[in-house]
Amino acid sequence: MVVTLFWPDGEVHVIDAASGCIVFCEDVTAGIHPLGRAWIDSDLNETVASSGTDVVAGLGRNTFTVTCANRNYGPFDPARASFTLTVRDAAGRPYSESVALDRAGTKTLSVSFVAEEAGEGAFRISATSIR
């Protein structure tokens, strides 16, 4: 999905999102689950969110992660990026974390919660480029 909007501090050029399914099961061990990655590449003028496969997670404490990167050209490159990871448990409750990168670098978004119910949840990774 590509969208162009205006933002107070600049123009939002590209918004990309990827999503997937999380199945919470009683007979699976809870743990850490990488969900994908997202990045902005100012050389190619693209923002990309890429999810991995759907995930099966156990009941109990789970952590879901996404690696985010801003591949700009240093302090004179105007590209800034905002990334958000939202995870919904089987009851539909949302848990999310966001990060903004205004210079080249990599961050990991991490969402942790205790899954109490078996069933189907979901995740969404979004990446926004602000110039």
Side-chain angles (χ1 to χ4, degrees):
M1 171 174 76
V2 177
V3 178
T4 300
L5 303 167
F6 292 97
W7 201 260
D9 294 339
E11 186 176 329
V12 176
H13 282 273
V14 180
I15 299 172
D16 191 33
S19 58
C21 177
I22 301 171
V23 178
F24 295 95
C25 297
E26 293 179 12
D27 57 349
V28 175
T29 304
I32 299 172
H33 309 278
L35 298 177
R37 58 194 184 103
W39 66 92
I40 175 177
D41 189 329
S42 61
D43 186 40
L44 299 175
N45 195 27
E46 70 178 2
T47 304
V48 180
S50 174
S51 65
T53 61
D54 293 341
V55 174
V56 177
L59 299 184
R61 177 157 294 282
N62 287 285
T63 300
F64 302 93
T65 63
V66 170
T67 302
C68 305
N70 186 352
R71 301 177 189 167
N72 70 13
Y73 291 111
F76 300 109
D77 189 337
R80 293 179 296 155
S82 174
F83 304 99
T84 302
L85 168 62
T86 302
V87 178
R88 293 188 180 273
D89 64 12
R93 289 181 292 264
Y95 303 86
S96 69
E97 183 180 31
S98 297
V99 66
L101 295 174
D102 61 355
R103 55 181 60 145
T106 302
K107 297 268 183 168
T108 299
L109 291 176
S110 177
V111 172
S112 296
F113 60 91
V114 174
E116 299 173 344
E117 300 176 36
E120 189 173 305
F123 69 90
R124 179 177 169 90
I125 304 164
S126 63
T128 306
S129 169
I130 304 169
R131 292 200 178 260

